[in-house]
């Protein structure tokens, strides 16, 4: 049996969602259309959105694949008409709107990024979504600058470890809240002051707060923010309902950002990919940022990987490998 036998037969294995669970199913392999690359997936990360989708809570945008996987890395095996940036044999990685956790995935080449030479497949598969999200939130939205004080909540998770490294590399002073005491040392090594979430007000004030946890950090976030500070809400897994003191918003002249990446128009997602290529891939090349891996699983064990993702206490990314 060769590596592409499923492709030749017209079927491939992919993560599908049934009855609130992730499982492995056989689905039609995708065909590359205009400006699309067909990628033989070598690794694909898990994200909170996959878990939410498996549970029926985060449907894919219209037209997106309904199978799992918002990021993947692999080898281009065919390029559709109009492709100019990549060709057969290239190593690419991308944020996709679904379908990354499969043997093959099609991606518009505007969303694809080259995999830097020093990066292995496991790291590449867990890189695109979290580094794109972290870079977009910290720099494009909140405008984090050299020397500023930033607090990253939920810093041991996939987005958190990306955000800590990017903020530190940009010359910010990084405080990271980490619930699991056993993970604080490893997060500190990414160049952060890693603390218990209960202690973050005293560690402030902060120019920027990156919220990856949600409601439990409110209203303390408003207290810990410096005058003219910025808060970016990216994750609300621990709750989304809070009471906001609007007077405090005014008095501090603060700015509040909130965002999701997946439903944005293709042009905006492509712009995010160009930012990551320009500002982050050189840091991968030079070894200044990396993808901490909590654990890898073979694609065939995707259900176990989905279960593992939800267990508290992990550090970094969970990645499926071909
Ligand atoms: N808006 C977007 O575009 C976008 C993109 C990517 C991700 N996200 C969201 O951003 C969040 C983070 O993503 P991720 O990939 O980093 O997830 P992750 O790997 O599961 O990490 C989440 C982190 O938050 C911590 N945490 C959870 N509940 C907590 C609580 N009540 N108190 C303190 N810490 C808590 C976890 O600690 P434990 O291990 O101790 O539980 C973990 O370290 C998720 O909600 C995800 O869905 C949003």
């Amino acid at each position: 049996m060769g590596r592409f036998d499923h492709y030749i037969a017209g079927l491939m294995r992919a993560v599908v969602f049934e009855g609130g669970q992730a499982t492995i199913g056989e689905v039609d392999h995708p065909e590359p259309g205009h400006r699309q690359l067909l990628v033989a997936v070598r690794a694909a990360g898990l994200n909170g959105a996959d878990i939410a989708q498996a549970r029926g809570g985060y449907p894919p945008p219209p037209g997106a694949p309904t199978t799992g996987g918002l990021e993947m890395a692999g080898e281009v095996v065919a390029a559709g008409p109009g492709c100019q940036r990549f060709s057969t044999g290239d190593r690419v990685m991308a944020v996709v709107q679904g379908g990354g956790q499969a043997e093959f995935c099609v991606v518009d080449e505007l969303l694809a990024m080259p995999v830097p030479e020093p990066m292995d497949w496991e790291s590449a598969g867990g890189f695109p979504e979290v580094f794109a999200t972290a870079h977009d939130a910290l720099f494009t939205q909140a405008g984090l600058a050299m020397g500023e004080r930033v607090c990253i909540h939920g810093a041991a998770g996939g987005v958190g470890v990306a955000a800590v490294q990017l903020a530190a590399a940009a010359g910010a002073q990084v405080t990271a809240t980490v619930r699991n005491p056993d993970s604080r040392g490893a997060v500190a090594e990414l160049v952060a002051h890693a603390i218990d979430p209960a202690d973050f007000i005293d560690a402030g004030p902060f120019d920027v707060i990156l919220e990856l946890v949600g409601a439990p950090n409110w209203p303390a976030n408003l207290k810990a923010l410096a005058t003219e500070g910025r808060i970016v809400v990216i994750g609300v897994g621990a709750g989304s309902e809070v009471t906001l003191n609007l007077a405090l918003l005014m008095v501090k002249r603060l700015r509040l950002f909130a965002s999701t990446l997946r439903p944005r128009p293709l042009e905006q997602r492509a712009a995010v990919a160009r930012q990551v290529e320009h500002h982050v891939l050189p840091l991968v090349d030079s070894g200044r940022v990396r993808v901490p891996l909590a654990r890898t699983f073979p694609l065939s064990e995707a259900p176990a990987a989905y279960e593992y993702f939800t267990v508290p206490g992990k550090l970094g990314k969970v990645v499926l490998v071909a």
Side-chain angles (χ1 to χ4, degrees):
M1 289 280 282
R3 180 168 157 67
F4 301 130
D5 285 353
H6 279 275
Y7 176 56
I8 291 161
L11 290 173
M12 66 170 188
R13 290 177 303 144
V15 171
V16 298
F17 302 124
E18 283 171 10
Q21 307 271 340
T23 182
I24 292 290
E26 288 223 318
V27 301
D28 289 341
H29 71 76
E31 296 286 351
H34 177 72
R35 216 178 54 201
Q36 286 183 329
L37 306 168
L38 177 68
V39 178
V41 177
R42 301 295 292 269
L46 268 67
N47 288 281
D50 292 312
I51 308 298
Q53 187 172 338
R55 292 172 177 167
Y58 192 55
T66 56
T67 46
L70 300 187
E71 61 185 347
M72 60 85 206
E75 197 181 324
V76 176
V77 291
C83 285
Q84 296 183 343
R85 301 185 68 228
F86 296 101
S87 52
T88 304
D90 286 347
R91 281 166 28 106
V92 296
M93 57 186 175
V95 178
V96 290
Q97 289 181 309
Q101 294 160 359
E103 289 179 295
F104 297 90
C105 179
V106 288
V107 57
D108 190 301
E109 71 161 2
L110 295 181
L111 301 174
M113 301 178 278
V115 177
E117 199 273 327
M119 199 176 222
D120 58 30
W121 285 121
E122 288 88 344
S123 300
F127 173 90
E129 170 77 10
V130 292
F131 276 88
T133 298
H135 185 273
D136 184 72
L138 287 176
F139 300 100
T140 306
Q141 295 190 56
L144 180 66
M146 187 189 300
E148 286 197 311
R149 299 151 297 180
V150 59
C151 175
I152 295 160
H153 289 305
V159 180
V161 293
V164 166
Q165 293 178 86
L166 293 181
Q173 303 173 58
V174 186
T175 296
T177 70
V178 178
R179 175 159 74 169
N180 177 10
D182 294 341
S183 297
R184 283 183 207 137
V187 172
E189 281 175 20
L190 303 174
V191 192
H193 177 215
I195 61 171
D196 188 305
D199 299 333
F200 83 92
I201 295 184
D202 293 340
F206 301 106
D207 302 296
V208 171
I209 295 177
L210 177 59
E211 183 55 79
L212 300 172
V213 170
N217 297 319
W218 299 76
N221 276 340
L222 298 187
K223 290 200 181 114
L225 201 67
T227 302
E228 301 200 339
R230 294 88 75 199
I231 301 178
V232 200
V233 180
I234 291 297
V236 293
S240 55
E241 301 278 338
V242 299
T243 300
L244 267 189
N245 181 338
L246 296 177
L248 204 50
L249 258 69
M250 289 193 299
V251 169
K252 289 211 167 171
R253 304 191 297 281
L254 68 83
R255 277 170 288 164
L256 186 55
F257 300 85
S259 163
T260 55
L261 197 55
R262 188 189 200 189
R264 292 190 205 175
L266 185 132
E267 295 73 21
Q268 288 185 22
R269 286 179 286 121
V272 170
R274 296 296 81 74
Q275 289 288 317
V276 174
E277 277 178 357
H278 190 59
H279 296 288
V280 184
L281 293 192
L283 302 178
V284 176
D285 263 324
S286 66
R288 289 190 69 194
V289 306
R290 61 189 174 84
V291 181
L293 294 172
R295 202 167 149 189
T296 63
F297 292 80
L299 176 63
S300 58
E301 292 176 19
Y306 270 64
E307 195 151 333
Y308 176 79
F309 187 94
T310 63
V311 177
K314 65 186 185 306
L315 177 84
K317 290 291 298 185
V318 181
V319 175
L320 299 175
V321 291

